[in-house]
Amino acid sequence: MNRLRYILPATMTLLGACGTTPPTTSTTPSEALTSMAISDGARAGGNKHFYFVAPLVKPPTTFGGNPFDAGANPTVNVCALPPGITINTLASTSCTASGATAIATFTRTHGDRGQTIRVDHESEHFIVNFHTGMFHLKPELFYRVEVHIGSTLLGFLDLDVTSKGANRKKTKKGDPGDTLALTGGRTLPIKFRIEQGAVPGGQSLSVSRYGGCQVKAGEVYCWGYNPSGRVGNGTRTTALSAVRVHRPSGVNAFTSVSTHQGHTCALTDAGTAYCWGSGASGQLGTGQFGYGGFTADSMLNWDYRPGENAYGTWYWTEPYGSTTPVPVRMPTDEAGRTVPFTAIRAGEGGTCALGANGRVYCWGSDSDGQLGDAAGRTELGSDQYCFRSEHWSNGTFYKTAEECQTERFTGSAVPVAVNVPGGTPSFASLAETKDVVNCALTAQGQAYCWGNNLDRLIKPGSVPADAYVFTPEVVQPSLSFARLSIYRQAACGVLADRTDVYCWGANYYGQQGRGILPTWRPTVGGLDNEFFPTAAPIITPPGSNPAVKYKDVDIGFRHACALKDDGAAYCWGENANGQLGTGTAVLNDSGSAVAQAVVDGSGTALRFDSISAGVYMTCGMVSGSGTRCWGSNFQGSLGNGTWQDSPTPLPVVNLP
């Protein structure tokens, strides 16, 4: 039996990082190279919340400082890098490069040769066994282990196979020159640690119109306005601070969450989905429009409570849904096997998820073509609901007569596969979408979008002929994105090489970040510079390091925020409620067209692991000190235990 040895990373250096000259070797052509590329938190430039552990590397002396994320949902890819690769080009290639060959893929629910990723709770790491002897590995090729969550590459480690070097010491440490002896059929244990905050943008944190949600240690916590049950704790009471979402029996851990103004959805470590809150449009994915039916006079139950907050708000309740998580009816593939999900997004009246098979599935309303299945706005059913309104006026309580009407549903109450004309590509990630437009990215970063095109984000020059786009179309075809965020009127994305953030669409409050605010043009009776159909880069934020790459961007209703690798966060656009996090709020604000640093109360720039922009507010996970929110506190959306707005980031109360 041929004896194989994996030569481990000898110098523990990330090649190409910070201008490091790749090490050279004096090996003969028949001998394997002894210096390999590796990227993790123990190496310069790596993800500070992701670490490989023994036996593939020498155990790190310290980790990133955040708690172990046992609820993470990683994917491990093993590939053969393109033939002819050299030690000098290792760091610039990947498993998606032309000529690379997939060898094995592992998730927490599926894997080659029946192997799946498992959690070692005691040692706080993930592990999967790679049966090397079954894959006919060749000594003349380089092999790579990549660890992803969704489209985010957490880190990688290169392996070099050789049938020589029998005199080398057998070891389980990644010290220079060491090898790990393997015989055909022996397993290679791939072990790694993922900490909270490892994934930019996270989906461990999501905010919407009236509050936010976050995953911590396998549990979901939510806060804010709650008449629909969006908070998920079994009540419809507004939560001024974080409350724990009910975790259904049989669910080991939640791994990601996405919330919108009326409903919330989360993924489990098994790749299944649960949703809660409003279900009138089928957005809970249970197979029915609404959940549990509804009763006359309770669909809309208005109640004005004078003096409860500064807005004199009309409160409403919507029993038509669920106040605790209910299981989504999972899709199946052609062979009848359940397709697990790897990412999920809650939008306006609907939800989309990315399947482990690279397909996107959507459910809920199709009023604007947001299901992407080419069905258009076909009426799929109808139901009747009744309501009456109640209110106080001048100290007197009034209740109107009951009214009933028929609601015609256009959509699907179960996940349906998105179809791309001409052949559906394999998608690698979902864009951060929060309205009636949905988007997904391929592994190469090509963006496809579908849904509402009234604001011309999908087909910039097509209105009114194509107000609705019922099947995915390529947007900004000349660009490739690592991250993409869209909120009906405007969109922003981090380029694939992460050097810039490009935006397009509405610019009413400078949300394009180009240093240009709209101006009144008397000759045409309208605004100039109010809309940009072609994407262009934002201006480099003042005080930022241009050499530091972007890792995330998220766009809210009229503002956007970007995050860099050094944790610096920058926001631009409207700031009437302090949603830019600069320490000030400007009433009747025309917006900031240049990105500004997010700071604390003393004016010191904060460092974040992730950031999420909502409507008039923003939240971010501050490195080492928990989640903070800022901007409008309408209905407790900041989660700080008060009703007061804040132009500076304040901690979310009751998050563990």
Side-chain angles (χ1 to χ4, degrees):
M1 184 177 296
N2 184 38
R3 186 177 178 83
L4 300 180
R5 288 181 184 269
Y6 278 88
I7 296 182
L8 300 177
T11 64
M12 296 301 145
T13 300
L14 175 61
L15 302 183
C18 303
T20 302
T21 301
T24 59
T25 67
S26 58
T27 57
T28 65
S30 60
E31 181 61 74
L33 295 170
T34 59
S35 181
M36 312 298 290
I38 181 172
S39 174
D40 71 354
R43 283 85 200 171
N47 187 322
K48 64 181 179 180
H49 297 303
F50 171 80
Y51 296 82
F52 286 106
V53 297
L56 292 184
V57 299
K58 184 177 181 179
T61 56
T62 61
F63 293 116
N66 281 4
F68 173 60
D69 191 356
N73 197 16
T75 297
V76 171
N77 294 322
V78 181
C79 72
L81 295 176
I85 204 78
T86 69
I87 192 70
N88 295 317
T89 57
L90 275 175
S92 61
T93 191
S94 70
C95 286
T96 60
S98 176
T101 304
I103 301 296
T105 298
F106 307 97
T107 69
R108 295 186 66 164
T109 57
H110 294 77
D112 289 275
R113 303 301 189 266
Q115 293 297 308
T116 59
I117 300 172
R118 307 181 306 281
V119 180
D120 185 330
H121 289 280
E122 182 176 355
S123 300
E124 294 193 337
H125 65 245
F126 294 89
I127 178 174
V128 62
N129 288 324
F130 173 38
H131 290 303
T132 60
M134 300 180 180
F135 293 93
H136 308 293
L137 305 179
K138 301 177 180 179
E140 65 268 22
L141 295 178
F142 289 99
Y143 292 85
R144 174 162 291 183
V145 176
E146 292 184 347
V147 181
H148 297 256
I149 291 182
S151 64
T152 300
L153 174 64
L154 300 183
F156 63 83
L157 181 147
D158 287 342
L159 304 170
D160 187 22
V161 182
T162 178
S163 57
K164 294 192 173 185
N167 60 330
R168 290 187 182 275
K169 182 181 179 182
K170 178 179 177 181
T171 181
K172 290 187 177 182
K173 303 293 184 182
D175 297 318
D178 283 348
T179 62
L180 180 64
L182 298 170
T183 57
R186 179 177 171 177
T187 61
L188 180 70
I190 300 171
K191 299 182 181 181
F192 52 91
R193 173 184 171 89
I194 299 174
E195 297 181 346
Q196 294 176 18
V199 180
Q203 281 314 266
S204 59
L205 173 66
S206 175
V207 302
S208 64
R209 187 164 194 159
Y210 297 128
C213 295
Q214 182 175 344
V215 173
K216 298 201 71 173
E219 303 284 358
V220 176
Y221 297 84
C222 295
W223 60 92
Y225 197 32
N226 191 41
S228 65
R230 178 196 64 81
V231 165
N233 66 342
T235 76
R236 300 183 187 279
T237 303
T238 291
L240 297 183
S241 59
V243 297
R244 187 174 66 85
V245 172
H246 169 74
R247 178 158 52 89
S249 174
V251 172
N252 179 59
F254 287 113
T255 59
S256 64
V257 66
S258 181
T259 188
H260 195 61
Q261 65 185 46
H263 76 293
T264 304
C265 294
L267 295 185
T268 73
D269 56 358
T272 56
Y274 283 76
C275 296
W276 58 96
S278 174
S281 299
Q283 62 265 52
L284 301 188
T286 61
Q288 63 187 85
F289 293 100
Y291 191 80
F294 52 141
T295 59
D297 85 355
S298 64
M299 177 64 177
L300 295 176
N301 185 11
W302 300 81
D303 182 13
Y304 177 64
R305 304 175 186 178
E308 184 155 313
N309 64 49
Y311 297 94
T313 305
W314 287 90
Y315 287 73
W316 57 282
T317 59
E318 186 184 11
Y320 196 40
S322 177
T323 60
T324 57
V326 292
V328 172
R329 187 184 296 180
M330 299 296 291
T332 57
D333 60 17
E334 291 77 3
R337 297 169 298 193
T338 298
V339 177
F341 292 148
T342 61
I344 197 163
R345 300 289 186 271
E348 180 67 34
T351 311
C352 288
L354 178 65
N357 58 359
R359 299 290 301 273
V360 175
Y361 298 85
C362 297
W363 58 96
S365 174
D366 197 31
S367 61
D368 296 72
Q370 59 265 51
L371 294 188
D373 64 343
R377 289 184 286 173
T378 304
E379 183 178 320
L380 300 180
S382 63
D383 206 342
Q384 186 182 69
Y385 66 86
C386 302
F387 64 93
R388 66 186 179 196
S389 63
E390 304 172 354
H391 67 278
W392 289 89
S393 178
N394 296 322
T396 303
F397 179 75
Y398 294 91
K399 181 165 60 178
T400 66
E402 183 176 280
E403 298 180 24
C404 296
Q405 67 184 64
T406 297
E407 173 73 15
R408 301 192 180 279
F409 300 111
T410 58
S412 174
V414 296
V416 296
V418 171
N419 293 314
V420 179
T424 300
S426 178
F427 290 109
S429 65
L430 294 177
E432 184 64 40
T433 52
K434 306 171 183 178
D435 205 44
V436 287
V437 182
N438 290 313
C439 301
L441 300 177
T442 66
Q444 294 73 37
Q446 188 70 71
Y448 286 76
C449 296
W450 59 97
N452 188 296
N453 191 48
L454 288 172
D455 289 287
R456 299 171 287 168
L457 289 181
I458 304 174
K459 301 171 73 174
S462 63
V463 173
D466 295 297
Y468 306 100
V469 177
F470 294 106
T471 55
E473 297 205 13
V474 176
V475 299
Q476 304 297 329
S478 64
L479 299 176
S480 296
F481 298 99
R483 303 279 295 177
L484 181 65
S485 179
I486 190 167
Y487 202 145
R488 184 180 286 194
Q489 292 184 325
C492 292
V494 176
L495 294 188
D497 63 6
R498 303 197 297 114
T499 55
D500 276 307
V501 170
Y502 273 58
C503 299
W504 72 96
N507 190 49
Y508 306 120
Y509 292 86
Q511 59 262 56
Q512 294 298 301
R514 306 185 189 192
I516 303 172
L517 288 171
T519 57
W520 181 257
R521 188 165 48 167
T523 56
V524 296
L527 290 173
D528 200 6
N529 298 318
E530 64 174 333
F531 183 85
F532 294 95
T534 303
I538 67 170
I539 291 177
T540 300
S544 70
N545 184 349
V548 177
K549 292 187 175 182
Y550 291 96
K551 66 177 181 180
D552 195 24
V553 66
D554 196 31
I555 192 163
F557 180 49
R558 293 172 177 169
H559 75 292
C561 298
L563 192 63
K564 285 201 161 192
D565 280 343
D566 60 4
Y570 302 92
C571 298
W572 61 97
E574 186 184 29
N575 195 37
N577 299 97
Q579 57 263 52
L580 301 190
T582 60
T584 61
V586 183
L587 295 178
N588 302 316
D589 178 51
S590 60
S592 173
V594 177
Q596 306 294 317
V598 179
V599 299
D600 63 15
S602 67
T604 302
L606 293 167
R607 292 292 181 264
F608 293 85
D609 293 324
S610 67
I611 199 163
S612 182
V615 177
Y616 310 125
M617 50 86 69
T618 312
C619 293
M621 293 172 59
V622 179
S623 300
S625 64
T627 298
R628 302 188 191 187
C629 297
W630 58 97
S632 170
N633 200 21
F634 181 69
Q635 300 298 339
S637 55
L638 300 186
N640 60 23
T642 77
W643 297 99
Q644 301 303 311
D645 295 354
S646 176
T648 55
L650 294 178
V652 175
V653 178
N654 291 338
L655 272 178

